Amino acid sequence: AQSVTQPDIHITVSEGASLELRCNYSYGATPYLFWYVQSPGQGLQLLLKYFSGDTLVQGIKGFEAEFKRSQSSFNLRKPSVHWSDAAEYFCAVGDRNAGNMLTFGGGTRLMVKP
Amino acid sequence: DAGVTQSPTHLIKTRGQHVTLRCSPISGHKSVSWYQQVLGQGPQFIFQYYEKEERGRGNFPDRFSARQFPNYSSELNVNALLLGDSALYLCASSLPRTQETQYFGPGTRLLVL
């Protein structure tokens, strides 16, 4: 069965600092991978996705993520964090054989210090 | 274009009652999925429907059921509510293609007392 691990439950960074959120997945084949962001009391907004091809994918709001098959990782990065980036971030893997049913990690809550 | 819409936004029920949650997909999307997000956790897959057929089901008891209508909207029903059913219920819609990106609605927050 597929699974996703986000090792960091909480991360605090200073505004303007760089950010990396970790995501490790378990899936039997080449996965579909996603990062979503959730603001308090809101639904999930898609930041970026990886299906195939270039392993470095660009998303909205200046985020990027790199797929590393050898490490089963799909870490999210941003070079300079803004206060508005404070939210909960979820990594997810999609099951190609089940209508892209998503399995989510437990999430990482990002706090941004002024 | 409007995104995924869900109703109601909030709901309070008591144990043993049943609840119906509704979802309208993005125009042109034919697949709808439901997820449960308990406070402090990531969303968990409940159901996926495509063309009114159940396409997938997560590890949830039979108290949970769903259906999809000809206009591709969907309902999630939960019977005999338990305190543990308190959660944010998210609906997502997608196109019926191999590489399907799911777009989520704002969710319905259910509180069971």
Side-chain angles (χ1 to χ4, degrees):
Chain A
Q2 59 202 58
S3 65
V4 177
T5 302
Q6 295 180 246
D8 305 304
I9 298 174
H10 293 98
I11 283 185
T12 300
V13 300
S14 298
E15 191 167 17
S18 64
L19 171 69
E20 182 168 26
L21 303 182
R22 296 184 291 165
C23 172
N24 294 97
Y25 69 89
S26 172
Y27 187 73
T30 301
Y32 293 157
L33 294 163
F34 305 82
W35 275 99
Y36 287 88
V37 61
Q38 185 177 39
S39 297
Q42 303 296 311
L44 301 172
Q45 182 183 22
L46 179 69
L47 283 177
L48 47 78
K49 60 191 177 186
Y50 171 78
F51 287 151
S52 64
D54 193 348
T55 56
L56 184 63
V57 294
Q58 302 297 320
I60 62 172
K61 304 184 180 186
F63 285 93
E64 67 178 25
E66 186 171 12
F67 170 56
K68 293 186 177 180
R69 183 189 304 274
S70 62
Q71 298 177 20
S72 297
S73 69
F74 189 57
N75 294 348
L76 181 71
R77 300 194 295 249
K78 186 170 184 177
S80 178
V81 169
H82 188 262
W83 63 266
S84 61
D85 293 324
E88 184 120 28
Y89 291 80
F90 291 96
C91 180
V93 61
D95 188 340
R96 293 169 175 248
N97 299 316
N100 203 23
M101 174 197 84
L102 297 175
T103 298
F104 286 86
T108 297
R109 179 164 296 281
L110 173 66
M111 290 172 280
V112 180
K113 293 189 299 184
Chain B
D1 279 344
V4 177
T5 59
Q6 294 186 242
S7 63
T9 56
H10 295 83
L11 205 51
I12 299 175
K13 293 286 188 178
T14 56
R15 282 177 295 176
Q17 288 188 311
H18 72 272
V19 67
T20 298
L21 310 181
R22 296 177 176 83
C23 171
S24 293
I26 293 170
S27 177
H29 286 195
K30 297 182 178 180
S31 182
V32 170
S33 299
W34 288 94
Y35 293 80
Q36 180 196 63
Q37 185 180 19
V38 173
L39 195 63
Q41 298 181 18
Q44 278 196 290
F45 173 74
I46 310 175
F47 286 110
Q48 186 179 75
Y49 275 77
Y50 171 60
E51 293 280 11
K52 296 174 287 180
E53 298 284 330
E54 182 181 300
R55 201 175 178 186
R57 183 186 182 110
N59 188 23
F60 280 82
D62 291 344
R63 300 185 296 107
F64 288 76
S65 63
R67 54 180 177 167
Q68 187 177 31
F69 298 99
N71 66 353
Y72 304 109
S73 67
S74 177
E75 284 183 354
L76 175 69
N77 294 284
V78 187
N79 292 324
L81 284 167
L82 304 174
L83 296 180
D85 296 330
S86 296
L88 180 68
Y89 289 84
L90 295 162
C91 174
S93 74
S94 59
L95 290 166
R97 297 185 303 209
T98 302
Q99 294 180 347
E100 300 172 349
T101 297
Q102 295 189 34
Y103 296 92
F104 285 81
T108 293
R109 187 162 296 282
L110 172 65
L111 178 61
V112 182
L113 301 175

